[in-house]
Amino acid sequence: MKKLLIVVRPLVLLCVVAASMYVGARSEIVWKNEAVNSAWSQVDVVLQRRADLIPNLVETVKGYAAQEQKVFGDIANARAALLGARTPADRIAANGQLDGALGRLLAIVENYPQLKSNENLLRLQDELAGTDNRIAVERRRYNDTVQDYNTYIGLFPNSIFAAWAGFHRNDAYFKAAEGAREAPRVRFPGKE
């Protein structure tokens, strides 16, 4: 009996230690997963704020640039895609589409001097710029939180515990848009 007890005690102790490690790691994974969800919620809030500002900006520009219907349609489609996206990956893709459409809208503004001085447009542009700054901050926080989560569940023995508990890597990162690494070309009329 003593020999059996000598063998069983370490096994029981090993099982208790392994179980407590699992419970601790699983709890930490749940915390980190919820941090990812919370960070995503913050991104979602500022994306929604920008989506809410866009109709006002479009209506202000429409009064001056009625012939630019394609850009207005592109913005409406991009905004609808953003509002209709359900997953972070879909929202990230739709946000990239909206960024491009807004860039084209702001280029139109540059072509209409009387529009550039419109007080409503200037206020909306300031609000949009502030919102874009908030989006950049929240994107960074979100990416940092996702990276922390992915690193934690990728480390041994957390990777085993994460797999047992059904947690998987999250690859819904915000990335730079295509062409963002290229410096813009500045050309002055008559100086080309």
Side-chain angles (χ1 to χ4, degrees):
M1 184 71 164
K2 275 190 171 187
K3 285 184 179 182
L4 182 62
L5 207 53
I6 289 173
V7 172
V8 171
R9 274 189 188 159
L11 288 177
V12 169
L13 183 61
L14 185 62
C15 288
V16 168
V17 168
S20 65
M21 285 176 60
Y22 171 76
V23 168
R26 188 179 190 295
S27 296
E28 187 69 20
I29 292 168
V30 169
W31 276 100
K32 290 183 180 296
N33 190 49
E34 286 305 310
V36 168
N37 293 338
S38 175
W40 175 252
S41 293
Q42 284 303 111
V43 170
D44 213 21
V45 165
V46 290
L47 290 177
Q48 182 66 49
R49 175 177 162 69
R50 182 169 69 168
D52 292 344
L53 286 172
I54 290 170
N56 295 331
L57 183 64
V58 167
E59 287 304 315
T60 302
V61 174
K62 267 185 182 178
Y64 287 89
Q67 68 273 20
E68 308 289 354
Q69 291 303 314
K70 181 179 179 343
V71 173
F72 300 137
D74 290 348
I75 289 172
N77 292 338
R79 183 174 181 266
L82 180 69
L83 295 176
R86 297 290 170 233
T87 66
D90 290 345
R91 300 271 296 184
I92 290 168
N95 183 61
Q97 183 183 356
L98 186 59
D99 285 344
L102 281 175
R104 290 189 299 278
L105 178 68
L106 295 177
I108 290 171
V109 169
E110 293 299 317
N111 292 327
Y112 293 88
Q114 70 276 23
L115 176 58
K116 284 176 25 178
S117 65
N118 179 290
E119 194 173 310
N120 286 337
L121 178 73
L122 295 174
R123 186 177 51 77
L124 287 168
Q125 282 182 310
D126 285 345
E127 283 189 45
L128 193 58
T131 299
D132 283 345
N133 288 338
R134 289 181 197 162
I135 289 171
V137 168
E138 295 304 336
R139 282 178 179 169
R140 184 189 51 77
R141 285 183 185 155
Y142 171 75
N143 281 350
D144 289 347
T145 305
V146 170
Q147 179 186 10
D148 181 53
Y149 167 80
N150 286 339
T151 301
Y152 187 81
I153 69 166
L155 296 173
F156 182 80
N158 300 340
S159 58
I160 295 169
F161 298 148
W164 288 348
F167 289 94
H168 305 283
R169 182 175 171 78
N170 182 343
D171 287 319
Y173 286 100
F174 277 97
K175 296 177 178 95
E178 287 296 318
R181 288 182 169 79
E182 294 176 21
R185 296 176 64 183
V186 178
R187 293 185 183 146
F188 295 100
K191 303 278 184 181
E192 296 179 36

